[in-house]
Amino acid sequence: MNNLVHKTLVVQLQAGAADRFPVLAHFSYEADDPFAVTVVFSHDGRVLARWKLDREMLGEGLSRPVGLGDVRFRPVSNGPWQELCMEFYGSPHPDGGRHHAAVFVWAPGVAAFLRETREIVAPGEEQVRVDDFLAEVIAGG
C-alpha cells in the first residue's frame, strides 16, 4: 500500500500590494503524519517557504473561510474558476503590521489531492503512535 501522496500545482502568490506571481506548490501527505499536509512553495529551484497544514482545515477551506491565526483559508470564485485562497501571516512588526502573503490555488486540484489522502487514511481513522514519538525524542532524534 502506498503511504505517500504528492501533487505539484502551479499557484499564484501575492505578497502585499504586488500583483500575483506564479510559483510551484508541492503538496505532500504521509500516513505517518496523518493530520498534516506539507506544502513547499518554490520558484526557479529555490524553496520560498515550507508550511505544515492541518489536513481537515485545508478541506474545510474549500467550502468556507477557516482559520484565525497565522494560517487562513477561504474559497474564492472568479466566474467559472474556483480557487482556494491560502493566507499566511508573519510575526508582528513594531508598527503593528504583519507580513502577509496570499496563495491562490486551483480548488479542484486541492480537492483531488485531498481525496487521494483520504484513500490512504480516512478521516476519523488517523492514529498517532505516541510511543514511537516518545522513543524518538528520548533517543535525541
Side-chain angles (χ1 to χ4, degrees):
M1 179 174 121
N2 189 5
N3 290 327
L4 173 69
V5 176
H6 182 81
K7 185 175 211 65
T8 298
L9 297 170
V10 176
V11 302
Q12 299 289 315
L13 170 66
Q14 184 175 32
D19 290 336
R20 290 184 182 191
F21 182 81
V23 299
L24 293 177
H26 309 276
F27 290 79
S28 62
Y29 176 82
E30 295 184 52
D32 291 344
D33 193 1
F35 295 101
V37 168
T38 300
V39 184
V40 176
F41 299 100
S42 67
H43 180 69
D44 284 341
R46 290 188 9 231
V47 172
L48 303 174
R50 179 184 317 266
W51 285 82
K52 192 166 271 203
L53 307 173
D54 180 283
R55 177 174 73 153
E56 182 178 350
M57 186 173 140
L58 185 60
E60 288 177 10
L62 291 168
S63 61
R64 66 180 180 86
V66 295
L68 298 172
D70 296 340
V71 179
R72 303 172 192 181
F73 304 129
R74 62 184 166 82
V76 177
S77 178
N78 291 326
W81 188 257
Q82 299 296 315
E83 295 177 312
L84 171 66
C85 177
M86 305 166 64
E87 295 182 278
F88 302 97
Y89 291 85
S91 300
H93 298 175
D95 66 5
R98 296 173 79 183
H99 285 293
H100 171 258
V103 176
F104 296 87
V105 186
W106 186 52
V110 174
F113 169 79
L114 290 172
R115 276 193 302 276
E116 289 183 52
T117 72
R118 293 179 190 123
E119 290 174 8
I120 293 175
V121 179
E125 294 182 13
E126 299 94 344
Q127 295 180 4
V128 178
R129 295 183 178 99
V130 175
D131 291 340
D132 294 344
F133 172 74
L134 290 176
E136 185 178 327
V137 169
I138 291 169

